[in-house]
Amino acid sequence: MTSTDIAPIADPSGQRTGGTARERREAKARRRRATRTTVAVTVVVAVTLGGGGLAWYATSTTEDLADQNAAAKALLTESDGKVAEQSPRDALSAQIEATEALLDEPFLTRLVRGTSGRRDALAAASDGVRASMVELARAQVVQARAGLETAEARAQKYYDASEGLGVDAGVRAQLRGALDTTASADEAADRSLAGTDLAELEKAAYDLSANRSVVTLATDTLAEAQDAITCPEVDQVWHPDSGRVPAEDLAPIPWASDHMVRADVLDGLIELDAAYREAFGEHLTINSSYRSYEAQASLYDPSSPIAAAPGCSNHGLGLAVDIGGGVETFDTEQYTWLKENARAFGWMHPAFAEPDGRVPEPWHWESVLAREDA
C-alpha cells in the first residue's frame, strides 16, 4: 500500500476535516447544545442534591429547637414556686415566646435567620432557672437544718430535765431514739450542700424536716407525760425551764430591784407601771416575781392549791408577778384599772385566778407570753 492509500484522521465531531463551511457551523452548534445540556444537567443535579441536604439540615435543626423549647416549657412549669428569685423564670418565659415565634416563621425565614442563636439563648435561660432552683434548695436545706437544731436543743432539754421525775422509761427512750437518728440526716445535708445536685438538696431538706417533726412529736409526748405526773391542774404546764431560767435571760424590775422577770417582758411591765403611776401616783407594788425551782419547792404544799408544784409555775419562768397596793383585792379601783388596761401592755389576769376560777388570786398577773409558752 502506498502513502496515497492511508485513510484521513476522523474529525471528533463526526465530520470530515475540511468539510464545507455549513457543515462546520452545524458541528459547532451541535457541540454547544451538548455543552449546554451537560451544564444544565449538572446544575439540576447539584441543586437537587445540595438543596435537599440544606432542607434536611434546616428541618433537623428546627426539630431540635422545638424539642429544646418543649423541655424549657416543662422546666418552667416544674420551677413554679421552686426558685430563689422570679426573674430567671421571667427570662426563660421570654425566651420560650421568642423561640415559638421563630418556629412559626416560614421555612425560608428560619433558613436565613438560623436557629443557633435561639438555641444558645434558650439554653442560657434554662441554666439560669436551674441555678435559681439550686439556690433555693440550698437555702431550704440550711433553714431545715436550723429548725432541726432548734428542735434537738429543746428535746435534749426536756429529756435531761425529766430524768428521775417518774415519767415512763419508754417515753424517754422514744425521744432518745429520735435524737439518735438525726445524725444521718445531718450528714446527708452536708453532702448535698457540698454539691449542686438539685434532687439531693431537695431530699436533704425533706429528710431534715421529717426528722424535726419526729423529734418534736417525741418531745411533746414526753412533755405531756411529765406534765400529767408533775402538774395536777389542767391550767398548769410542766416546763423544764421553770425555776431554772438562765441568769442572762432575766432582768431586775427597776423600781423593785429585788424582783426579776424575763428580760423580754420587762419593757411591757415598765410601760404598764408608767400608766399606772399616771393614774394612781405610785408604782405597782411587786410582792413576788421570778422564783427558782428551790424557792417554788419550798412554797409548794400538795394539800393546798395556792402554789403550783415545782416545774409548773409561771413564776418559775419569769412570766408572772404578784401585785399589791390595792390590787390584791377584787373590785378595788386599782384591780379594776389593771383589768381594763393591762392587756394593752402585754399583761393579763389568768382565768384560774379570776373570782370564779380554780384559785381566786386578784394579785396574780402574767405576761401574755405565758399562754404562748403553755
Side-chain angles (χ1 to χ4, degrees):
M1 178 181 297
T2 64
S3 61
T4 57
D5 295 326
I6 297 174
I9 298 174
D11 187 338
S13 65
Q15 300 296 324
R16 292 177 178 271
T17 302
T20 65
R22 179 179 179 181
E23 289 174 341
R24 288 195 299 272
R25 287 195 301 272
E26 289 177 352
K28 188 174 182 180
R30 284 195 296 274
R31 289 195 299 273
R32 288 176 177 172
R33 285 196 297 271
T35 300
R36 286 197 296 269
T37 299
T38 300
V39 170
V41 170
T42 301
V43 170
V44 169
V45 170
V47 170
T48 300
L49 293 178
L54 189 59
W56 172 86
Y57 174 76
T59 301
S60 176
T61 54
T62 298
E63 290 176 350
D64 290 344
L65 181 61
D67 290 342
Q68 185 182 1
N69 200 51
K73 292 172 71 174
L75 176 61
L76 188 65
T77 299
E78 177 190 354
S79 64
D80 187 17
K82 298 174 67 176
V83 289
E85 296 181 359
Q86 181 61 27
S87 55
R89 293 188 75 248
D90 293 340
L92 179 59
S93 179
Q95 293 301 331
I96 290 172
E97 291 180 6
T99 301
E100 289 177 341
L102 177 61
L103 291 171
D104 288 339
E105 293 285 354
F107 172 81
L108 288 179
T109 301
R110 297 198 307 273
L111 187 62
V112 171
R113 292 177 58 183
T115 60
S116 60
R118 180 103 317 274
R119 290 199 306 272
D120 291 344
L122 197 58
S126 296
D127 289 344
V129 169
R130 294 189 189 94
S132 189
M133 292 175 72
V134 168
E135 181 182 353
L136 177 63
R138 292 176 67 86
Q140 289 174 333
V141 170
V142 172
Q143 182 179 14
R145 169 178 272 173
L148 177 57
E149 289 174 350
T150 299
E152 287 176 310
R154 174 174 177 261
Q156 191 65 54
K157 177 185 292 186
Y158 276 70
Y159 182 81
D160 293 341
S162 64
E163 184 175 3
L165 296 184
V167 73
D168 183 78
V171 174
R172 295 187 79 239
Q174 183 181 20
L175 178 54
R176 182 72 266 162
L179 284 168
D180 291 342
T181 60
T182 61
S184 60
D186 197 55
E187 291 172 0
D190 279 337
R191 291 194 297 272
S192 70
L193 289 171
T196 58
D197 188 287
L198 180 61
E200 286 188 5
L201 287 164
E202 290 177 338
K203 185 178 185 304
Y206 174 83
D207 288 345
L208 289 167
S209 297
N211 273 263
R212 177 186 179 183
S213 297
V214 171
V215 169
T216 299
L217 178 60
T219 304
D220 290 344
T221 300
L222 173 61
E224 291 173 5
Q226 189 64 68
D227 181 73
I229 295 172
T230 306
C231 305
E233 304 299 337
V234 295
D235 52 63
Q236 297 174 343
V237 178
W238 177 79
H239 197 291
D241 282 344
S242 185
R244 297 187 172 92
V245 176
E248 61 268 22
D249 293 338
L250 297 170
I253 299 173
W255 66 94
S257 57
D258 290 341
H259 294 279
M260 293 187 295
V261 292
R262 215 168 70 184
D264 58 335
V265 302
L266 179 60
D267 286 347
L269 185 61
I270 291 174
E271 292 171 1
L272 175 61
D273 177 70
Y276 184 86
R277 278 192 295 118
E278 186 175 343
F280 297 102
E282 59 184 5
H283 287 291
L284 290 167
T285 300
I286 306 298
N287 292 328
S288 182
S289 56
Y290 171 73
R291 296 176 193 153
S292 68
Y293 189 91
E294 292 73 23
Q296 189 69 31
S298 68
L299 292 173
Y300 178 57
D301 180 356
S303 66
S304 171
I306 297 299
C312 306
S313 172
N314 283 320
H315 279 287
L317 293 174
L319 298 176
V321 292
D322 291 344
I323 303 176
V327 181
E328 71 275 15
T329 304
F330 288 115
D331 297 328
T332 64
E333 186 179 0
Q334 292 88 342
Y335 173 83
T336 301
W337 185 93
L338 279 182
K339 282 285 291 181
E340 293 175 350
N341 295 281
R343 189 172 285 275
F345 300 95
W347 289 80
M348 58 146 192
H349 194 244
F352 78 83
E354 288 287 282
D356 58 350
R358 178 179 60 83
V359 187
E361 292 183 346
W363 57 83
H364 183 88
W365 294 78
E366 297 181 349
S367 165
V368 294
L369 296 184
R371 299 302 94 193
E372 295 177 5
D373 288 350

